[in-house]
């Protein structure tokens, strides 16, 4: 049972092997293998039988079956029975030798089957194969292949057969004439030789251990003779390679004397092949085998051939390698193996050849030689051991090569040397230094991966060197004595800085090993190693490079770890201390990254570590030596300013710990003399050093600075300096800057009790001596900004030092200009937050006297003096007191008095309103300060100045007080200040200003005005802090001001008070709003011309102010203005920048508070919106390119304003009154802004705008109009209408060109549903747009009116007739869109008023038919709309009315059946169905002809790629079939063409053709000819359906009907279809051609 079943399964699979799809074929083979896994014998039998039965099965398919058999055999050879094996052997042998072709896949597959069987059934296979390997006859090439592969796969069983095989083969070699067959013989000899060598190498496991090499010698030599002397000379490159591949293993089997005899000819011949072949792997491999054979027999010939061998092999290594393919790499390995053989037998000759080639300048030769040298150092270590000094000395020139490839090769050679003891020889240190030099190369920039994906940076010279150094120092134990302590020599030289991290890591590893070995091995004998860095040099170097810890792959941590490990070699006391302090530093580094680490904090930690170390050591000599080393290393860091700066700090710290004053002075002097003053970082570093040193050595530090200041460097003599002749003037200025900075840092760092005594006598004197330069006794002010900056910085430090002392005193200078300038500088340098010294007071007092002297100070200088003095006093905290808490009141009051005297002295110089204004303007920032105490001080000063001005006012002529409004506006809002004293001072100031006005009007000083005097009574009401009382009082004050303020001052007063809206004191801000509204109410009637300015200022203040109370007040202000000047306010607000910010929007909403005003505003806005054109078209559009419409600003602004006004709830009453006008205007505004762009400036403004006050709404013209329309509906109570449109996405559709009409329709539909009573007036408003110049407005109104006809509400409101008349009148509109929408509206009667359609039938049908003929465009949208409309109306019109247009309509829509546009195909076919449905009575006979003509298109379009078209065809066919009066056909149509059911097209078409040919045989010719038209259809499925249709017609037609068909035409058409690119079409064409036999 099993065998037949498997056979059946196998045959079923094997029958599918010829499938054209490769994937199917592979799956068949895989399934066969699966069967073979379960039942190998049965499966193999089945395959064998199938191949025998199908003798003519094509070779590719036979090959696949044989491959499957091989897979089964390989997996189950041990389960195979003998009979199956015999059958398979016979089959495979037969298959292998059936063709004479060489090396075809079929033969190889059969041979592989034999090899697989031969692993177990060797004798049976050999018996069958040898039967085809007879003497005197050339064997089949596959026989040789199989024998060769068998010998390799099963050497133990095959070698006993080889003597007879070789003896039989030998005569055949001379018979072979074809190069391809010779190649096969060579391959067989190669594999036979390899098999024999494997057998001989494993004789202990062989079945016959008596087999000897000489058994094969004669036969092998005979073969060798043919191959070498005859075949190797062939022109066929493939044959030459096959020969040389065979000669390699054969050379091992040649008798010794024969090999010795042949070598002189063999070696040159093999070497000669290098010149003939680009692919050299096989040549090199065989050459290596030949060389090994020669060495094994101790051949003397090698000595003679050695030079030629070396030259040829060296050239192979040096040849440029263009790829890293395995074959190329293996070839290189084989060449290197040849060098290993030669190195073992002739090391001296080899080195004599290689080492001189290291001196060449050729990159390839040098790199290749280095590769060989590295290889023989590793592979022939014993032979090279005695040659180590010689090899080392030959590396001198390669070490100097700058080529990266050479460097990489040198590093690899040094690595090999390290592993074999070379670096322990004299000269080994040079190699170590070379590695370190390469580690110090600049770090590579990250590069993109190479073409093979390798990381180029990882293989860079530096990366390879770093890996090599670490590997050698950690894994090669014999290198420890070479590297320790030698590597320490590379720590301090600057050129090795980039190598510090790998150096430190290697040294840490070596040091730990030495510590494990014992203290004697670890402690360094510095006397015996003069080149090693001293402990001081090492400490300095490692500490300084740690200051920038993440550079160089984290050298900070590496340096500190080395420092910690080396503690015994630095100082014996440090070990225990560093065990606790060093880990803290390392942990700190681990917790941070380069981005998160604060260098300042890290440096401070390192300095603390240094101070702690110096404290632990407590050895002055050691400390002095360390400081000396630090100073010595300073020049080394000129290229790294940050590290040099840190080193200066280390020097200062170390000198501070030194107890030897002479050493301190000596080093400080040297630092001053050698510093690089032109470098800014060094200036700072030097100054820090002196400052840190001064902590413990102030006297010595000042003495050294004093001596240096007195040196000749500051005595300029004809541009030449006596001791610094090479220094330029710029460098001297830098030096002065550094010294001034040093004094500053000394004052800042030194003990406070010692500094103060030296400030005036030493520090400041010398600072100014450095700052001021004298030429011929005349002081010249420096122009160097850096020097000035240093002076200011140092003065700040000195001032800080003075202020922090309890005995601080002030300084005084006599010369006027210098005094004023310097005093101002001192005042500015004083701490602004405290009053600790009388510098302010004395400086201001001096200035008070100076301003009265001649020459007068310049205006700008006066302004600077006032500004600086005010800032120095006004910014003081409320309680300015001295450090000891004593003398708070006297010092503060004296300072304020000095300031008052200075200000009044300055005012005396200009006793005019302008002079008063200048002084008050200086006070203005402080009057508006957010801090109460500053405002109180400023108001006090203001009152003082006004009182002084009033007392000294002398008016000789009547002049206007032109800045009264400005001054009153500044003080008046302060009447509500949160500070009581400020409020009362403010009222006093207003009181004084009003009397100043009276004085300028001519009133005497003792005149008392009743209105002004009211202020004094109101002043008492300001004591109460209750807000209600305060603001009521402010309102009263504003009334007083409005009565006494001249009209020309009103606007300046208002503008100034507007500034107070943003006052940080909320009370003052509220008071400002109260006063503004009072003034507008009392005096607003005179401000018509100022309305735009007021509105603009209001908007600006709202934008800049965040206080909540300001907005309502501003809204009220606008309302007050609009009540008096409505049109001016509207125009001003419309001029606001677009988009309106939220505050402007709020101002618009303020205009909707009162109905009367709201109505005026809305009418004005509607007028503005329609006054200008809605858009302008660009020049590009006028030239005929794409339209580029840009919105005009006024209608856009008016639209946005309408939205805001309509958004106000209080506008509801007015909105209901103006609803029709508003709705129509906004709908038309929406229509004419679709696709309209913003002006470019507004587009850019929208993109840039990030203001929080910016309104969130979109400024897009169409969106803004839609928003306004939505606001109108919401405010008029049409929420349901709004939601209905929103649910249908109508608002989004309104904004798009493609969806605008649908959006308008949804809007009309929702209005009819939810707001019907409003339709008559809305229709009236929209009706006047019929003659609009803008097409889009006519389109929009038409779309709106057309949609109304789909609702029954038009009947209820008696609007049907007017609507029809309006729409019918638009049929002659020039716009196709308008005409199309009219037809849509007329068709809407079918759903809105179906009972009225019959009455208007002729009118409707006439309109629709005229639409079918609209224009000359082949795909007119009007025609499409007419077809859709007719489909809706046909069932409702009178049959007689339809009969008049039926035939014309049918003929007109027929071309649309095959339209390229899917909507035209769908509409025309569906209309055709409706025409069939509506056709009754007499018209049926007329229509039958049209039904027959449409049958083929309708059936074929069931395969239309568009689903709507196919669905329309189903409907039309079901409507057509009754006219054919065929019950069977009708039943088939109803069965297959049910809507929603998928059609099995082939089955349906077969059934249809059967009934057609049975009932209408005469239609055959007509149907076939119509099908022929569709053979060229552009739709693949339709093109495939046409021949299928034709085939079914022929299938069911009677033979006698063939006369109806033009067979020649049909055959030619089908032949063309056979070349169709679509397989399905070709299939159907072939099927139909087969059926044409019926007509034979």
């Amino acid at each position: 049972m099993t065998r037949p079943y498997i056979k059946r399964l196998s045959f079923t699979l094997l029958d599918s092997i010829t499938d054209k799809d490769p994937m199917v074929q592979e799956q068949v083979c895989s399934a066969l293998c699966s069967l073979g896994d379960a039942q190998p014998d049965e499966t193999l039998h089945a395959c064998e039988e199938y191949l025998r039965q199908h003798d003519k099965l094509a070779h590719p398919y036979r090959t696949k079956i044989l491959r499957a058999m091989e897979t089964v055999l390989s997996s189950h050879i041990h389960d195979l029975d003998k009979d199956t094996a015999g059958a398979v052997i016979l089959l495979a042998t037969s298959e292998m030798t059936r063709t004479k072709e060489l090396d075809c896949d079929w033969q190889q597959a059969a041979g592989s089957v034999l090899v697989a069987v031969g692993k177990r059934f060797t004798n049976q296979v050999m018996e069958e194969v040898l039967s085809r390997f007879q003497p005197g006859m050339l064997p089949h090439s596959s026989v040789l292949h199989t024998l060769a592969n068998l010998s390799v796969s099963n050497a133990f069983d095959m070698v006993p057969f080889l003597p007879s095989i070789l003896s039989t083969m030998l005569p055949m070699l001379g018979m072979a004439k074809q190069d391809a067959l010779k190649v096969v013989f060579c391959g067989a000899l190669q594999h036979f030789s390899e098999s024999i060598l494997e057998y001989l190498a494993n004789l202990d496991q062989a079945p016959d251990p008596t087999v000897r090499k000489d058994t094969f010698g004669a036969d092998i030599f005979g073969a060798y003779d043919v191959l070498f002397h005859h075949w190797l000379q062939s022109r066929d490159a493939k044959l030459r390679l096959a020969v040389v591949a065979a000669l390699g293993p054969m050379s091992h089997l040649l008798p010794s004397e024969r090999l010795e005899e042949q070598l002189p000819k063999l070696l040159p011949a093999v070497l000669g092949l290098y010149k003939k072949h680009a692919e050299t792997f096989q040549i090199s491999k065989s050459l290596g085998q030949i060389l090994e054979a020669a060495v094994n027999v101790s051949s003397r010939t090698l000595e003679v051939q050695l030079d030629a061998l070396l030259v040829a092999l060296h050239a192979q290594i040096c040849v440029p390698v263009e790829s890293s393919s395995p074959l190329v790499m293996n070839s290189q390995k084989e060449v290197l193996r040849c060098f290993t053989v030669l190195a073992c037998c002739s090391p001296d000759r080899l080195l004599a050849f290689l080492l001189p080639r290291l001196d060449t300048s050729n990159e390839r030769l040098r790199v290749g030689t280095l590769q060989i040298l590295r290889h023989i150092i590793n592979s022939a270590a014993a032979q090279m051991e005695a040659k180590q000094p010689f090899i080392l000395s030959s590396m001198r020139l390669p070490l100097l090569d700058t080529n990266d490839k050479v460097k990489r090769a040198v590093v690899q050679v040094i690595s090999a040397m390290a592993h074999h003891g070379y670096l322990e020889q004299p000269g080994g240190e040079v190699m170590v230094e070379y590695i370190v030099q390469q580690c110090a190369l600049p770090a590579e920039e990250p590069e993109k991966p190479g073409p093979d994906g390798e990381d180029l940076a990882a293989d860079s010279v530096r990366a390879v060197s770093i890996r090599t150094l670490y590997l050698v120092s950690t894994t090669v134990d014999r290198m420890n004595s070479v590297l320790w302590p030698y590597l320490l020599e590379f720590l301090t030289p600057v050129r090795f800085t980039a190598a510090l991290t790998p150096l430190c890591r290697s040294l840490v590893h070596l040091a730990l090993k030495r510590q494990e070995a014992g203290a004697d091995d670890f402690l360094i004998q510095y006397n015996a190693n003069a080149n090693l860095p001293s402990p001081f040099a090492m400490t300095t170097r490692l500490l300084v490079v740690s200051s920038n810890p993440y550079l160089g792959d984290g050298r900070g941590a590496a340096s500190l770890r080395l420092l910690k490990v080396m503690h015994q070699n630095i100082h014996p006391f440090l070990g225990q201390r560093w065990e606790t302090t060093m880990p803290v530093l390392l942990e700190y580094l681990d917790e941070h990254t380069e981005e998160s680490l604060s260098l300042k904090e890290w440096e401070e930690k390192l300095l603390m570590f240094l101070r702690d170390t110096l404290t632990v050591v407590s050895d002055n000599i050691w400390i002095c030596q360390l400081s000396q080393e630090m100073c010595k290393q300073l020049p080394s860091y000129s290229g790294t300013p940050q590290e040099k700066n840190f080193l200066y700090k280390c020097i200062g710290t170390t000198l501070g710990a030194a107890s030897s004053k002479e050493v301190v002075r000596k080093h400080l002097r040297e630092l001053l003399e050698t510093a690089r003053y032109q470098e800014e970082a060094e200036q700072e570093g030097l100054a820090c050093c002196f400052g840190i040193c001064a902590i413990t050595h102030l006297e010595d530090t000042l003495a050294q600075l004093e001596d240096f200041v007195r040196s000749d460097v500051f005595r300029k003599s004809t541009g030449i300096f006596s001791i610094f002749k090479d220094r330029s003037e710029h460098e001297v200025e830098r030096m002065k800057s550094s010294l001034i900075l040093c004094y500053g840092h000394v004052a800042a760092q030194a003990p406070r009790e010692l500094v103060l005594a030296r400030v005036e006598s030493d520090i400041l004197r010398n600072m100014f001596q450095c700052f001021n330069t004298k030429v011929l006794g005349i002081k010249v002010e420096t122009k160097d900004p850096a020097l000035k900056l240093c002076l200011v910085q140092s003065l700040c430090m000195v001032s800080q030092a003075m202020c922090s002392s309890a005995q601080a005193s002030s300084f005084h200078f006599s010369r006027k200009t210098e005094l004023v300038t310097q005093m101002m500088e001192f005042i500015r340098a004083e701490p602004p937050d405290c009053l600790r010294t009388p510098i302010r007071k004395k400086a201001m007092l001096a200035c008070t006297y100076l301003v009265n002297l001649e020459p007068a100070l310049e205006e700008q200088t006066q302004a600077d003096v006032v500004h600086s003095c005010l800032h120095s006093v006004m910014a003081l905290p409320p309680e300015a007191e001295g450090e000891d808490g004593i003398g708070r009141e006297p010092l503060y009051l004296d300072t304020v008095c000095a300031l008052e005297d200075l200000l009044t002295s300055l005012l005396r110089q200009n006793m005019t309103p302008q002079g008063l204004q200048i002084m008050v303007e200086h006070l203005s920032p402080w009057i508006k300060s957010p801090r109460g105490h500053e405002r109180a001080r400023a108001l006090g000063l203001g009152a003082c100045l006004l009182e002084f001005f009033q007392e000294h006012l002398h008016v000789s002529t009547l002049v206007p007080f032109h800045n009264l409004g400005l001054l009153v506006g500044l003080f008046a809002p302060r009447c509500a200040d949160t500070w009581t004293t400020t409020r009362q001072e403010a009222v006093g100031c207003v009181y004084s200003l009003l009397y100043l006005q009276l004085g300028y009007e001519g009133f005497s000083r003792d005149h008392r005005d009743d209105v002004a005097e009211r202020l004094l009574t109101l002043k008492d009401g300001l004591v109460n802090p209750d807000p209600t009382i305060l603001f009521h009082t402010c309102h009263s004050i504003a009334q007083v001001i409005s009565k006494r303020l001249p009209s020309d001052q009103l606007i300046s007063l208002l503008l100034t008070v507007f500034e107070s809206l943003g006052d940080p004191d909320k009370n003052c801000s509220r008071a400002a709003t109260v006063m503004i509204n009072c003034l507008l109410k009392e005096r607003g009637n005179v401000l018509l011309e100022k309305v735009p300015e007021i509105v603009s200022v209001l908007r600006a203040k709202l934008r800049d102010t965040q206080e909540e109370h300001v907005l309502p007040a501003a809204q009220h202000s606008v309302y007050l203005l609009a009540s008096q000047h409505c049109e001016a306010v509207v125009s001003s607000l419309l001029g606001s920048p677009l988009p309106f910010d939220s505050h402007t929007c709020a101002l618009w909403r303020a205009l909707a508070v009162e109905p009367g005003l709201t109505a005026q505003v809305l009418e004005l806005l509607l007028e503005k919106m329609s006054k200008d054109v809605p858009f302008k078209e660009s020049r590009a559009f006028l030239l005929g390119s794409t339209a580029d419409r840009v919105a005009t600003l006024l209608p856009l602004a008016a639209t946005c304003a309408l939205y805001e006004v309509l958004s106000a709830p209080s506008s509801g009453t007015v909105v209901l009154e103006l609803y029709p006008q508003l709705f129509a205007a906004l709908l038309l505004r929406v229509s004419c802004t679709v696709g309209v762009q913003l002006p470019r400036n507004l587009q850019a403004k929208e993109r840039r705008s990030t203001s929080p006050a910016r309104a969130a709404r979109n400024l897009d013209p169409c969106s803004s109009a839609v928003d306004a329309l939505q606001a109108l509906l919401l405010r008029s109570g049409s929420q349901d209408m709004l939601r209905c449109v929103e649910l249908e996405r109508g608002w989004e559709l309104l904004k798009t060109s493609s969806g605008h009409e649908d959006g308008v329709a949804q809007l009309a539909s929702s209005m009819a549903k939810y707001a019907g009573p409003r339709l008559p007036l809305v229709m009236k408003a929209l009706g006047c747009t019929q003659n609009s110049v803008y097409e889009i407005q006519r389109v929009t109104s038409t779309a709106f009116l057309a949609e109304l006809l789909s609702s029954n509400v038009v009947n209820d409101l008696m609007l049907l007739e007017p609507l029809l008349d309006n729409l019918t009148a638009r049929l002659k509109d020039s716009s196709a869109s308008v005409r199309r929408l009219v037809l849509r509206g007329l068709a809407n009667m079918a759903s809105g008023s179906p009972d009225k359609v019959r009455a208007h039938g002729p009118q409707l049908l006439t309109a629709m038919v005229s639409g079918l003929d609209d224009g000359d465009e082949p795909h007119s949208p009007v025609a499409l709309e007419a077809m859709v409309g007719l489909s809706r109306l046909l069932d409702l019109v009178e049959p007689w009315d339809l009969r008049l247009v039926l035939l014309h309509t049918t003929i007109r829509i027929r071309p649309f059946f095959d339209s390229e546009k899917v909507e035209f195909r769908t509409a025309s076919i569906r209309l055709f169905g409706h025409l069939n449905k509506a056709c009754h009575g007499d018209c049926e006979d007329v229509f039958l002809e049209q039904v027959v003509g449409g049958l083929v298109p309708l059936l074929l379009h069931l395969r239309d790629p568009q689903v709507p078209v196919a669905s329309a065809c189903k409907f039309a066919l079901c409507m057509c079939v009754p006219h054919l009066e065929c019950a069977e056909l009708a039943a088939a149509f109803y069965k297959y063409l049910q809507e929603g059911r998928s059609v099995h097209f082939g089955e349906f078409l077969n059934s249809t053709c059967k009934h057609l040919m049975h009932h209408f045989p005469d239609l055959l010719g007509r149907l076939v000819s119509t099908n022929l038209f569709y053979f060229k259809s552009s739709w693949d499925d339709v093109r495939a359906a046409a021949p299928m249709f034709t085939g079914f017609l022929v299938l069911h037609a009677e033979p006698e009907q063939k006369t109806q068909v033009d067979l020649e035409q049909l055959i030619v058409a089908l032949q063309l279809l056979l070349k169709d690119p679509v397989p399905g079409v070709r299939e159907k064409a072939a099927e139909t051609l087969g059926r044409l036999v019926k007509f034979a």
Side-chain angles (χ1 to χ4, degrees), residues 800 803-804 808 830-831 834-840 881-883 891:
Q800 185 177 0
C803 291
S804 61
E830 281 288 284
C834 59
L835 185 64
R836 298 183 179 178
T837 68
I839 290 179
R840 290 181 178 85
E881 60 184 24
E883 187 177 16
L891 180 59

Side-chain angles (χ1 to χ4, degrees), residues 29 734 844 872 1034 1234 1391 1441 1621:
C29 292
R734 290 292 183 181
M844 286 186 286
S872 69
C1034 288
V1234 174
S1391 55
D1441 294 335

Side-chain angles (χ1 to χ4, degrees), residues 1461-1538:
K1461 295 190 175 183
V1462 60
E1463 58 271 18
F1464 279 84
R1465 298 202 302 277
T1466 304
S1468 60
I1469 292 172
R1470 192 164 287 280
L1471 176 57
F1472 187 73
H1474 281 288
L1475 288 170
N1476 277 277
K1477 181 180 178 182
C1479 180
H1480 303 290
D1482 297 336
C1483 64
E1484 292 183 6
D1485 297 334
V1486 179
F1487 203 66
L1488 179 60
E1489 182 67 20
Q1490 301 302 320
V1491 172
V1492 173
L1495 199 57
V1496 172
L1498 294 178
L1499 286 168
L1500 292 180
H1501 276 292
L1502 285 172
R1503 298 291 291 160
D1504 196 282
Q1506 299 295 331
V1507 175
V1509 179
S1511 177
C1513 288
K1514 289 182 180 181
F1515 168 74
L1517 285 169
C1518 289
M1519 296 298 104
C1520 287
V1521 73
H1523 294 287
L1524 296 175
E1525 298 180 351
C1526 177
E1528 293 90 343
L1529 191 61
F1533 276 25
Y1534 295 142
K1535 174 183 177 182
Y1536 288 103
L1537 300 180
Q1538 293 179 17

Side-chain angles (χ1 to χ4, degrees), residues 789-810:
L789 181 62
C790 289
L791 178 64
V792 172
Q793 182 178 345
S794 296
L795 285 174
C796 288
M797 293 189 210
V798 173
S799 300
Q800 185 177 0
M802 292 167 53
C803 291
S804 61
S805 173
Q807 296 85 22
S809 61
S810 62

Side-chain angles (χ1 to χ4, degrees), residues 643-950:
E643 293 176 358
K644 192 169 188 178
N645 192 315
F646 178 70
L647 180 53
Y648 268 117
K649 295 177 183 177
C650 292
I651 294 171
T653 302
T654 308
L655 290 177
S659 59
S660 173
K661 293 184 177 295
E662 292 182 2
V663 172
V664 172
R665 291 184 176 184
K666 174 177 175 293
H667 286 318
L668 290 178
R669 183 169 60 254
E670 290 175 354
L671 289 175
L672 288 170
E673 292 174 353
T674 59
R676 299 164 63 92
Y677 293 101
Q678 65 273 23
E679 296 178 7
E680 185 177 346
E682 186 142 352
Q683 295 179 17
E684 186 68 24
L686 181 66
C688 289
C689 173
F690 271 76
I692 295 172
C693 184
I695 296 174
T696 52
H697 301 293
L698 177 61
E699 294 295 333
D700 296 318
T701 305
L702 288 176
Q704 290 305 311
L705 288 171
E706 177 85 15
D707 292 344
F708 195 72
V709 169
R710 291 177 178 176
S711 65
D712 290 345
V713 70
F714 298 104
R715 295 180 186 148
K716 196 170 185 181
S717 175
T718 63
I720 300 176
F721 298 93
S722 58
I723 62 173
F724 296 99
K725 295 183 179 180
D726 58 341
R727 294 186 189 268
S728 67
E729 182 176 352
H730 177 71
E731 289 176 312
V732 174
E733 296 294 321
R734 290 292 183 181
M735 188 185 302
K736 293 177 180 180
S737 300
S738 301
L739 291 171
I740 291 173
L741 233 93
C742 287
Y743 276 111
H745 278 273
V746 167
Q749 295 277 2
R752 297 290 181 262
E753 62 276 6
L754 301 178
V755 170
L756 198 58
R758 307 295 296 272
V759 166
E760 187 174 7
S761 59
D762 293 319
I763 297 176
L764 287 176
R765 178 174 58 80
N766 287 322
M767 283 171 58
F768 284 112
Q769 184 175 345
C770 293
F771 183 69
N772 297 321
T773 304
K774 289 188 177 181
V775 178
L776 300 178
I778 301 173
K779 184 174 72 172
V780 178
E781 185 176 351
T782 179
K783 295 182 180 179
D784 185 0
L787 181 57
K788 294 179 181 179
L789 181 62
C790 289
L791 178 64
V792 172
Q793 182 178 345
S794 296
L795 285 174
C796 288
M797 293 189 210
V798 173
S799 300
Q800 185 177 0
M802 292 167 53
C803 291
S804 61
S805 173
Q807 296 85 22
S809 61
S810 62
F811 297 92
H812 182 270
F813 297 93
S814 59
R815 292 187 294 272
K816 172 186 173 180
T817 304
E818 184 179 358
L819 176 65
V820 171
T821 303
Q822 199 64 65
M823 289 302 102
M824 289 305 104
E825 290 182 4
F826 275 126
I827 287 174
R828 296 186 191 106
E830 281 288 284
D833 57 346
C834 59
L835 185 64
R836 298 183 179 178
T837 68
I839 290 179
R840 290 181 178 85
K841 181 191 72 172
K842 290 186 178 294
M844 286 186 286
L845 285 174
C847 291
T848 301
Y849 295 118
L850 284 172
V851 294
N852 294 314
L853 300 176
E854 294 295 335
L857 293 176
E858 296 179 358
E859 289 184 6
Q860 184 59 46
T861 306
Q862 289 187 29
D864 291 343
V865 168
V866 173
H867 174 76
S868 300
C869 294
L870 280 173
H871 189 273
S872 69
V873 176
M874 306 301 287
L876 290 172
E879 296 182 357
E881 60 184 24
E883 187 177 16
D884 54 2
I886 300 175
R888 172 174 68 99
E889 287 298 329
L891 180 59
Y892 173 72
L893 293 177
D894 288 348
T895 304
V896 172
C897 287
L899 178 60
E900 289 176 353
D901 292 342
L902 173 59
L903 295 180
T904 52
S905 296
L906 289 169
L907 180 60
R908 189 189 297 272
Q909 307 301 315
N910 188 5
M911 285 290 293
T912 63
Q914 181 65 28
L916 178 62
Q917 181 178 337
I918 290 173
M919 299 306 297
V920 175
E921 282 177 353
H922 283 295
L923 285 173
S924 179
W926 305 102
I927 292 173
K928 300 176 182 178
S929 169
R931 288 169 286 276
H933 64 279
E934 293 179 358
R935 296 197 300 273
R937 292 169 184 170
L939 264 296
L941 285 172
C944 175
L945 289 172
L946 289 173
E947 183 180 351
F948 177 84
F949 193 85
Q950 189 177 1

Side-chain angles (χ1 to χ4, degrees), residues 1119-1187:
Y1119 166 73
L1120 291 172
L1121 271 178
S1123 299
Q1124 301 169 76
H1125 313 290
C1126 181
E1127 186 171 358
V1129 171
V1130 169
S1131 298
S1132 298
L1133 286 175
L1134 284 176
S1136 302
L1138 291 173
F1140 292 152
D1141 56 32
S1142 59
H1143 304 307
T1144 305
C1145 297
L1147 297 182
W1148 277 113
R1149 290 193 291 273
L1151 302 181
V1153 173
E1154 191 271 321
L1157 177 61
T1158 306
Q1160 292 183 59
V1161 171
L1162 287 175
E1163 289 171 356
L1164 281 170
L1165 289 176
L1166 287 176
E1167 179 188 348
K1168 300 285 185 184
M1169 192 169 69
S1170 59
K1171 184 176 182 180
D1172 199 358
V1173 293
F1175 57 81
K1176 293 182 179 179
E1177 292 176 341
S1178 68
R1179 181 177 301 176
F1181 171 66
L1182 297 176
L1183 292 176
S1185 62
T1186 305

